Amino acid sequence: MSILTALNAYLHLDTRQRTFMREKEIDTSMTLEEWIPFLGGVARADRASDVLRKMLGWLTILTIVPGFVLAIVTESATPLLLWIASSVSVFCWLRLRKIDMPPSLDRFLLPWLVLLKEDVAPKSEVSLRLDLRGAELTQKAIMAADMPNGVPRSPRACNDNYFRDDWASGTASLADGAILQWDISDFVRKRVKTRRNARGKTKRKTKYKIQRSFDVNLSVRDRDYAVSNIVPDTACRASVKRGEKRTAVRIRTRSVGRERFTPPRLTDLVDTISRAYSSLSVAPKER
Amino acid sequence: MQSLNSCTVQRGIFSLRECGNASTDTCAQCMRPVCMEHAHYGAEQILCPQCYAASSKDKADEDSESEDTSDWDSPGWSGRWSTEYHSSHDYVPISAAGAHDSFDDVDRNAFATRSDGALDDEGDDRAGSSSGFSDS
């Protein structure tokens, strides 16, 4: 049943959606009426493939172990069949893992776009740049350091790798005439500690620290809104840049986490934009 | 200008404006007209997002509700989420900047000034006028 569901969900995707699932990158402009079905179809196919992948994992375990035991005990063709089944399931599992999307798509990006629909100007295009390949890529590495603690106090090697992952950004024209730009980036520290125990066994421990920053730039028309200076806050950095016709409010907030695949909280981004809006008041109408 | 049959639900998370879609139903509690997008079809009655959020407030913890993003594709989720967000956070959404534009010339003429700079209804206070006002 779940094989059919997954296959059906995947077959319903168009070429662009399949390319996005494979490459996990996109940088284009569309209306939200196009973005939501586009990403929604990918998320549905991903959900179905997750269920299928879990089933294939169990199938591999259930076929490979009896296949091994039966190969020792009997001389029939059953172990061979079980090994073929397990090989096929491992192959399918690996193929599905290649097109697996991070939970941020289903639990953060899509809800965010659905919410944004409430504020975005009708029929206006929203520009999105998504890179869901993950942070641990060579081109995203910014720094590496051995022995960050200075002198090794124990027979322990410590290696730090730093990555910067600008994985989601976008621009939208809102119904009130404002232009909203947002940028979400992760600064990831991967710390690998290696130590040898008394019996000579090498143990390795990997820990992550992720600092996630939300950068919001809200540009409003001076004839629509009056912008007051933002009160400095420890939780965020803010600045106001006044132009001839528009004023831009920039806000940056940060959150720290330890889990690699935890999607951001939607309220964190909404709170950041709300802070920018809190500095606005409706400008008196000129007659 | 909004017609009488348009949805009067305030939409928006950051700045509020009237929905303006054609209404299809009426909220059973506040009797305001609501469109298909903003109507919440419960077991017994149809509610607007505000009344729906108020009625479901007691059922679940506010924070856990507002952070629940798993049912984003269910109808009316964004309206529910934003209503819960506004009720559980300090942020009060700003009224949309173009809100004054919904006043038409009839509304503006009511406050129009005469050539001598006085408001048109100033004559109401003149003694002996037949404006219908009298001292109590």
Side-chain angles (χ1 to χ4, degrees), chain A residues 40 44 47 106-107 110-111 114-115 117-120 175-176 224-225 265-267 270-271 273-274 277-278 280-283 285 287, chain B residues 10-17 37-38 66-67 69-70 72-73 77-79 81-82 85 89 91 94-98 100-101 108:
Chain A
R44 265 187 290 279
R47 258 181 265 159
D106 197 21
R107 283 161 59 190
L110 272 158
V114 173
L115 276 187
K117 208 174 162 190
E118 292 287 308
D119 279 284
V120 87
D176 60 354
D224 290 338
Y225 290 113
R265 281 160 46 95
L266 190 53
T267 42
V270 175
D271 279 345
I273 302 167
S274 300
Y277 261 97
S278 301
L280 307 181
S281 55
V282 178
K285 178 107 176 169
R287 299 238 32 220
Chain B
Q10 296 277 305
R11 71 183 302 172
I13 300 158
F14 310 112
S15 67
L16 289 179
R17 65 187 194 285
E37 193 183 340
H38 288 118
S66 65
E67 200 40 55
T69 55
S70 56
W72 58 265
D73 50 353
W77 174 82
S78 56
W81 196 94
S82 54
Y85 177 79
H89 289 70
Y91 179 66
I94 199 164
S95 289
H100 342 50
D101 296 340
R108 289 195 190 98

Side-chain angles (χ1 to χ4, degrees), chain A residues 1-7 9 21 43-59 92-93 96-97 100-101 106:
Chain A
M1 188 69 185
S2 94
I3 295 172
L4 287 176
T5 315
L7 199 64
M21 271 192 104
R44 265 187 290 279
D46 180 55
R47 258 181 265 159
S49 79
D50 280 350
V51 175
L52 182 59
R53 205 153 51 96
K54 201 177 260 181
M55 279 179 61
L56 287 170
W58 280 110
L59 185 70
C92 293
W93 189 90
L96 287 173
R97 201 178 70 159
D100 185 38
M101 304 301 285
D106 197 21

